[in-house]
Amino acid sequence: MTAHPLFDISGRTALVTGSSRGIGLALARGLLEAGCRVVLNGRDGERLAKAAAELPGDVHTAVFDVTDGASVAAGIADVEERVGPLDILVNNAGMQLRAPLLEFTDSDWHRILDTNLTSAFLVGREAARGMTERGRGKIINICSLQSEVVRPGIAPYAATKGALKMLTKGMCADWGPHGVQVNGLGPGYIETELTEPLVKDAEFSAWVRGRTPAGRWGRTEDLVGGVLFLASPAADFVGGQVLYVDGGMTSVL
């Protein structure tokens, strides 16, 4: 039995930001396995090269700072000249800073805002210039469970992810008429290098498992199917939505 042609994205060019490790690397691997030509992005060229060497298929790297407008414009132009016009963009670059809100510094506020929200605006805008001209394209913003709910100590992170959800809807409104579908993917609690301290925290892990109908932490590979769907022709009439891949956590009290 072969896959339905609506899910065929072979031969398409995809850029995944923040993809030298963790969720971004897993999504890049999934797109490669689906037959895409994939560009890994990050600020550390050595780390990107190492990640690319471990991946199968047609993989490229692009070193640029997603929080700097001039760097983004030059980076996207270079990718499209060197690799080809972008068909798929996954805005995955992000970070977490945990602190009580009364103790959260101005500099950390701006840092998390730039990394989690401004980067998606900058990279999305540059990628959409070509996509809207060509009349086709898929943009997937990696939102979060915290686009909907929040725990103490992560209010700034939740603010950025809630805003990213609304930026996703705004991009859909502006670019949908030009043939570009913009949607979000909302991971729940996923085991990664960055969440390892939380995974190892017995009390917190017990809370996650008890709070999640699926009864476990998510794995990075759990997110791949959602990205492949949103990047495919199967999602041509899906716009401005966030697909939560959270084991059901957002559905229960």
Side-chain angles (χ1 to χ4, degrees):
M1 182 176 179
T2 58
H4 196 288
L6 279 174
F7 295 92
D8 183 10
I9 55 173
S10 58
R12 303 192 182 187
T13 301
L15 168 66
V16 184
T17 67
S19 50
S20 64
R21 60 180 177 174
I23 290 173
L25 183 59
L27 299 181
R29 181 184 298 274
L31 288 163
L32 281 162
E33 290 171 346
C36 288
R37 180 182 307 107
V38 174
V39 183
L40 304 182
N41 158 261
R43 290 182 294 184
D44 187 327
E46 289 186 8
R47 180 179 285 174
L48 280 179
K50 182 179 178 181
E54 297 172 356
L55 292 175
D58 192 355
V59 59
H60 305 259
T61 61
V63 181
F64 61 88
D65 182 354
V66 294
T67 69
D68 179 79
S71 179
V72 169
I76 295 296
D78 172 67
V79 167
E80 296 211 315
E81 179 180 351
R82 180 166 48 91
V83 184
L86 287 176
D87 301 296
I88 301 162
L89 166 65
V90 181
N91 272 318
N92 169 75
M95 65 177 299
Q96 173 66 291
L97 293 171
R98 295 180 177 86
L101 196 52
L102 286 175
E103 300 170 15
F104 213 85
T105 66
D106 293 4
S107 60
D108 280 348
W109 169 265
H110 289 292
R111 183 181 169 204
I112 199 169
L113 188 68
D114 285 347
T115 304
N116 292 0
L117 180 62
T118 303
S119 67
F121 162 68
L122 294 174
V123 182
R125 181 183 61 181
E126 292 308 310
R129 295 189 194 283
M131 288 179 177
T132 54
E133 287 180 2
R134 294 186 292 271
R136 66 184 186 279
K138 305 282 186 178
I139 297 177
I140 303 158
N141 294 326
I142 304 304
C143 297
S144 172
L145 170 71
Q146 276 80 35
S147 296
E148 299 292 343
V149 295
V150 68
R151 283 175 54 86
I154 58 168
Y157 178 84
T160 64
K161 291 299 186 175
L164 184 57
K165 176 183 73 171
M166 294 310 298
L167 179 62
T168 298
K169 293 178 182 295
M171 288 175 167
C172 166
D174 273 32
W175 302 332
H178 302 281
V180 179
Q181 290 81 52
V182 187
N183 291 285
L185 188 77
Y189 284 96
I190 307 294
E191 289 189 56
T192 68
E193 179 181 330
L194 295 179
T195 61
E196 185 177 358
L198 295 177
V199 175
K200 290 183 175 179
D201 183 322
E203 183 179 356
F204 189 83
S205 272
W207 176 84
V208 168
R209 291 192 298 271
R211 182 68 176 73
T212 305
R216 63 173 175 85
W217 280 77
R219 297 180 286 267
T220 54
E221 55 265 33
D222 290 322
L223 303 172
V224 173
V227 161
L228 297 184
F229 162 64
L230 293 174
S232 75
D236 279 354
F237 201 57
V238 180
Q241 303 301 306
V242 180
L243 173 59
Y244 290 99
V245 183
D246 63 355
M249 186 180 277
T250 53
S251 298
V252 299
L253 290 172

